[in-house]
Amino acid sequence: MTKELKNIFTFYFIIQSLSLVNMLSSGHLNGDFFIYDINKFWLIFSFIVSFFPYLLLLGFLSLRKKQFNYVSIAEFKYFDKLVIGLLLINIFLSLTFKVGLYAQNQIYEVPFYIKPFIVLVNKLDMYIFSGLLLISEGFSRFKKLIVIFLLIALSISRASIFVFLFLFLIFIASGNIKFRLKQLALIFIILALTFQYLPKLFEYREELRKGDSAKSVEIFESKELNDFIKSKVIGRISSLSSVAFFYQNNHEIERTQYQVGALEYMIECFRPFYGGIYRENKIGYTYYFTNFYDDKAGVDYGIMYGLPSVLLVSYFKGIHIFFLNLSFIFFLIYCIVILSSFLFGKIYRELSFVLLFYPMMSGVPSEFGQILLYLIFISFLKILYISYSKSIFLINSNN
């Protein structure tokens, strides 16, 4: 087990523990569930079970060796220029046509003659490419700073602030953050200085997503600041509040589990593969949990609910559905790790842990499916590139 893998898990332990302490001290849940009181038994139980998926992933990655059989795509010629170029293209498309904007019901509208190009670009996920470049050796600090700046600009232009969590995980995976005392003190100071700007960041995100002026967030008093941190920060980077909410409402979950189809978790996982062509009118796990929390939500948005909540519903649907979904989740993780080894070479374990970190926390099957689709598409391009390079080499050799 590498130190980087341990440190990623340590970070997860820290945020879950902070969330637990926060809820125990306040007496109510945090994040989207801020208005609900805690049930201490189910909160502690949820805290314990929330570690199982990450412990299993950590164990699986630790048993696998470094992959020296495959060349990382980061070693291909002009990889850094490709990443920077794609980031600039994506930023332009986001600002001009709102391509990739999160939490939108309407599909972006673009001229038909550039639609195929945009579909192709969207399959080249910039988090994967940027994360790989930032972890890999052989690229200058200047180029890495450019990639960080452009990735933040792209994420904010798409009404998402997930990029900050992603970059923090990437810094851990690359060995830049080791959770030593001096680093922890520095991180604490930086967070203390930037907390006052977080409300405006969330306000900007909501304004982009809603398409109108979001309600201003004015925070001056310490209590208001504390409430904001609980509601928007801790609850956004920890799944504990979500899992605890559904577990302490397990009787209602048992009563309403029939609303989700037996194979719906698997179907929802593959929606990124065909969602742009065909959309069925099935409720799915994401909107079941979202509408359980907010009966007026419809399909306008989705909430984080965590893998333990998925297994809770699966258990109530039958022990065979429980093991079916559990096996399917293992299969997804296995496929993503194997594809990562083919694409990322010796750093695949650390990068695959980063890529799986948020989907495992959210529990949303389409997020697993989206990563799987991206990796399959990039693997296909790598095979084409290698085949083309070999063909050129043979032609030059014959000449």
Side-chain angles (χ1 to χ4, degrees):
M1 183 188 302
T2 66
K3 292 180 180 179
E4 289 76 19
L5 290 175
K6 287 182 180 178
N7 287 336
I8 295 172
F9 181 79
T10 298
F11 173 68
Y12 179 74
F13 177 82
I14 290 172
I15 61 176
Q16 291 294 85
S17 298
L18 285 174
S19 185
L20 175 66
V21 171
N22 174 265
M23 287 185 280
L24 287 174
S25 61
S26 67
H28 51 74
L29 302 175
N30 55 31
D32 293 327
F33 309 92
F34 184 66
I35 62 174
Y36 297 99
D37 294 332
I38 64 169
N39 178 305
K40 289 185 178 180
F41 171 80
W42 287 114
L43 179 59
I44 299 298
F45 181 82
S46 300
F47 177 75
I48 295 171
V49 299
S50 69
F51 287 100
F52 289 161
Y54 288 86
L55 285 171
L56 290 172
L57 176 60
L58 182 63
F60 175 58
L61 291 174
S62 300
L63 290 174
R64 296 187 61 83
K65 298 179 179 179
K66 283 189 176 182
Q67 186 55 261
F68 295 103
N69 297 329
Y70 299 116
V71 176
S72 170
I73 59 174
E75 298 180 34
F76 289 174
K77 195 174 183 180
Y78 304 125
F79 178 77
D80 52 342
K81 296 178 177 60
L82 173 67
V83 173
I84 293 173
L86 285 172
L87 282 167
L88 291 171
I89 291 171
N90 275 277
I91 291 171
F92 171 78
L93 294 175
S94 296
L95 295 176
T96 306
F97 302 110
K98 295 184 177 181
V99 175
L101 190 64
Y102 288 96
Q104 298 294 303
N105 289 327
Q106 297 179 347
I107 297 178
Y108 58 85
E109 295 183 2
V110 297
F112 73 92
Y113 52 86
I114 65 171
K115 188 70 176 283
F117 172 74
I118 292 177
V119 171
L120 175 64
V121 169
N122 280 342
K123 296 296 182 292
L124 301 172
D125 182 64
M126 294 319 303
Y127 282 104
I128 294 176
F129 281 92
S130 301
L132 176 59
L133 186 146
L134 294 173
I135 293 180
S136 299
E137 300 175 355
F139 300 105
S140 67
R141 288 187 177 181
F142 178 70
K143 287 183 179 178
K144 290 185 177 183
L145 284 173
I146 292 175
V147 169
I148 290 171
F149 173 78
L150 292 177
L151 187 63
I152 291 174
L154 174 62
S155 183
I156 293 177
S157 72
R158 291 180 171 182
S160 172
I161 55 176
F162 163 74
V163 65
F164 298 105
L165 173 61
F166 178 78
L167 287 174
F168 195 81
L169 290 169
I170 287 294
F171 294 151
I172 298 173
S174 61
N176 291 315
I177 296 178
K178 301 176 182 178
F179 294 107
R180 292 174 179 169
L181 185 59
K182 288 184 179 179
Q183 283 190 335
L184 289 174
L186 180 61
I187 291 170
F188 177 79
I189 293 171
I190 293 173
L191 289 176
L193 293 174
T194 57
F195 265 143
Q196 58 182 314
Y197 301 107
L198 289 175
K200 293 299 179 184
L201 193 59
F202 276 94
E203 181 183 344
Y204 175 74
R205 186 194 72 164
E206 293 304 315
E207 184 175 347
L208 281 179
R209 291 188 177 188
K210 294 177 181 178
D212 54 17
S213 296
K215 183 179 179 181
S216 296
V217 181
E218 297 292 343
I219 295 178
F220 296 105
E221 298 179 7
S222 60
K223 182 180 182 302
E224 291 175 338
L225 176 59
N226 197 33
D227 289 347
F228 174 79
I229 295 171
K230 294 180 207 175
S231 178
K232 295 293 186 181
V233 181
I234 297 178
R236 293 292 181 181
I237 61 174
S238 168
S239 61
L240 181 57
S241 183
S242 306
V243 175
F245 174 79
F246 293 112
Y247 269 73
Q248 68 186 36
N249 287 283
N250 64 87
H251 294 299
E252 189 65 17
I253 293 285
E254 183 178 16
R255 189 183 67 83
T256 59
Q257 51 78 25
Y258 70 91
Q259 297 176 7
V260 186
L263 303 178
E264 196 59 33
Y265 196 82
M266 290 183 283
I267 294 172
E268 190 174 345
C269 171
F270 289 109
R271 278 184 186 145
F273 288 77
Y274 65 84
I277 302 172
Y278 170 74
R279 293 181 181 272
E280 70 281 336
N281 295 318
K282 293 183 178 180
I283 187 171
Y285 275 74
T286 299
Y287 295 118
Y288 165 75
F289 283 115
T290 304
N291 285 275
F292 185 94
Y293 154 73
D294 177 8
D295 58 6
K296 296 180 181 179
V299 294
D300 289 338
Y301 70 95
I303 63 169
M304 177 193 302
Y305 42 88
L307 284 181
S309 300
V310 172
L311 297 177
L312 176 67
V313 174
S314 303
Y315 174 77
F316 285 137
K317 294 192 72 63
I319 196 67
H320 61 295
I321 300 299
F322 176 87
F323 283 110
L324 179 65
N325 282 338
L326 184 62
S327 300
F328 182 67
I329 292 168
F330 285 153
F331 173 74
L332 288 174
I333 292 172
Y334 178 79
C335 290
I336 288 171
V337 171
I338 293 300
L339 288 171
S340 295
S341 69
F342 174 65
L343 291 170
F344 310 137
K346 63 182 180 180
I347 60 171
Y348 80 97
R349 292 180 297 178
E350 291 78 11
L351 188 51
S352 60
F353 201 162
V354 172
L355 294 178
L356 285 165
F357 189 92
Y358 192 79
M360 292 182 63
M361 183 183 291
S362 71
V364 178
S366 60
E367 292 181 359
F368 285 104
Q370 194 75 66
I371 294 174
L372 183 62
L373 175 61
Y374 289 148
L375 294 180
I376 290 174
F377 185 74
I378 298 171
S379 297
F380 174 72
L381 292 181
K382 180 181 179 181
I383 293 171
L384 287 180
Y385 178 83
I386 292 174
S387 300
Y388 172 77
S389 299
K390 287 182 178 179
S391 299
I392 295 298
F393 176 76
L394 290 174
I395 291 172
N396 291 334
S397 297
N398 292 332
N399 291 335

